[in-house]
Amino acid sequence: ARAYAQVPGSGERIRIGVIGCGSQGTAHMRTLVRMRDTDNIDVLNVCDIYTKRVEAAAELTGGKVVKDYRRVLDNKDIDYVLIATPEHWHHRMTMDAIGAGKHIYCEKPMTHSIEESRRVAERVMNTPKIKMQVGVQGMSDDSYETANRYIQDGALGTVVLAQIDYSRNYTSDFWVNPIDADARPGENLDWNAFLGPARKRPFDADRFFSWRRYWDYSGGIASDLFVHRVTRMIKSLGLTFPECVAATGGKFEFRDSKAEIPDTLNILLNYPRGLTVQLISSLANDTPVQHVVRGHKATLRFTPTGFEIVPQTPYAKEVQPVTHRKTGAEELDLHHRNLLNAIRKNEPLRCDANLGYYGVVATVMGNLSYRQRKYMKWDASKQRAVAI
């Protein structure tokens, strides 16, 4: 049997258990299969509550089918687990994985609530042998840590505003996935296991196949899209917790949709040192907004190839223009490889539990502001959001 949180040597095979075999889980598994020989890894177990999915996952990876995720954690041959389930399961599975001595790759957001993220971050900090990567794979692009160095060195002057977006344009309804007619709750689909810590309800196919549309399992735009974007700004600007947050939005186009979440959401986050981060999204219009950090002396604009720094006119002689060509990219294989290197060689993680926590706080506070129609303030002493 392998030891608790073993650190394999560079030539030793790392074995993985997959929990959650839906669309994103399948994307991960295809990536891991491609990495099998180049990165010396293998998938030992695949786990899902829907038999059709888990059998397809076994065929794809060669991994053994497991129906209960706890049995994956019991497998002492597994070094790390991939958690690619709906958001409301992330906290419990992560805490159980830490308890079992497994390294973790958990899809974003790290958890479904602020309190859950605080607990995970504290547990990881107090369990230093465990490596936890949060699935904001855009952090495997070096643009944001490089931007941080320029910003900290004063290349932009005082930063006052950052803006970033993530929009799409759906037609008849938004975030609707096809309902698989083969799904038969009680026979090949464990509905109670899907609900888990969420409110108990009768089976609803839309809730199962399109769970991102419902508050019980998802934070909608904020947790699925904005978490990618705000994490980039948090890293670039060296931020932690916002001071106060305000959000607006609604179902402006898809008014008759069953979805509980809005199709349009905008969040403003004020951070203590004196700057605002603006998050912009609609699922009914995908015209992009520039991703920029605005400083008094210069503007940093992220581009498909990296970023550029352009001086403001009064400071054109004082500030040197910069063009950064990125290394890395927003790719699953790079993010998994970073975790593998963290396990084998103690390489710093691109999106650790602390960064995951900061992203959850920002996006959950935005959702709380939207849903309560109130201004939210961060209580630093108790690490919680308070309506004011």
Side-chain angles (χ1 to χ4, degrees), residues 52-306:
K52 184 176 179 178
R53 285 180 179 171
V54 76
E55 289 178 348
E59 184 175 351
L60 172 63
T61 64
K64 181 180 178 181
V65 169
V66 179
K67 295 294 183 68
D68 186 331
Y69 80 91
R70 291 169 296 185
R71 303 294 78 80
V72 177
L73 302 181
D74 288 341
N75 188 340
K76 297 185 183 301
D77 290 329
I78 286 177
D79 297 293
Y80 84 78
V81 291
L82 164 67
I83 300 172
T85 64
E87 298 165 21
H88 68 296
W89 266 109
H90 288 185
H91 170 255
R92 183 177 296 180
M93 290 178 173
T94 295
M95 296 294 269
D96 287 347
I98 296 170
K102 307 302 183 188
H103 304 291
I104 302 156
Y105 185 120
C106 182
E107 258 298 340
K108 53 76 195 165
M110 187 167 78
T111 68
H112 197 40
S113 74
I114 290 172
E115 176 62 18
E116 290 174 343
S117 277
R118 182 187 65 77
R119 291 174 186 162
V120 167
E122 288 179 351
R123 184 79 179 274
V124 171
M125 179 181 66
N126 292 323
T127 317
K129 290 184 178 180
I130 295 293
K131 303 296 184 182
M132 180 175 180
Q133 180 88 293
V134 181
V136 183
Q137 66 267 17
M139 302 317 298
S140 283
D141 175 343
D142 80 320
S143 297
Y144 310 102
E145 62 188 63
T146 305
N148 176 260
R149 291 197 291 270
Y150 280 98
I151 291 168
Q152 296 303 318
D153 287 345
L156 308 186
T158 302
V159 175
V160 295
L161 176 66
Q163 66 186 54
I164 195 164
D165 83 321
Y166 199 150
S167 293
R168 296 173 177 175
N169 193 346
Y170 291 91
T171 52
S172 57
D173 200 350
F174 68 106
W175 256 336
V176 177
N177 294 321
I179 292 174
D180 188 345
D182 292 336
R184 299 181 302 278
E187 295 181 36
N188 63 359
L189 189 159
D190 190 338
W191 173 244
N192 288 329
F194 168 81
L195 292 175
R199 176 183 170 186
K200 305 308 177 188
R201 300 174 181 272
F203 177 70
D204 183 328
D206 193 60
R207 282 178 174 269
F208 180 74
F209 288 103
S210 300
W211 55 267
R212 286 178 176 84
R213 291 153 52 88
Y214 298 95
W215 294 120
D216 281 353
Y217 330 112
S218 168
I221 286 171
S223 64
D224 202 78
L225 303 182
F226 278 160
V227 73
H228 285 291
R229 301 311 197 219
V230 75
T231 304
R232 299 175 190 216
M233 290 305 183
I234 289 169
K235 184 69 173 180
S236 299
L237 294 161
L239 304 173
T240 56
F241 303 107
E243 183 176 56
C244 50
V245 180
T248 61
K251 283 199 290 187
F252 296 151
E253 169 62 23
F254 304 108
R255 297 173 188 269
D256 297 327
S257 172
K258 286 179 61 179
E260 296 172 348
I261 64 169
D263 63 35
T264 302
L265 183 68
N266 299 280
I267 301 176
L268 295 174
L269 304 115
N270 275 5
Y271 282 86
R273 75 182 196 213
L275 69 96
T276 298
V277 175
Q278 181 181 20
L279 308 177
I280 302 163
S281 179
S282 177
L283 302 182
N285 182 289
D286 61 1
T287 302
V289 172
Q290 285 193 339
H291 297 180
V292 299
V293 178
R294 299 176 184 269
H296 180 57
K297 294 183 177 181
T299 300
L300 186 151
R301 183 173 71 89
F302 292 104
T303 67
T305 58

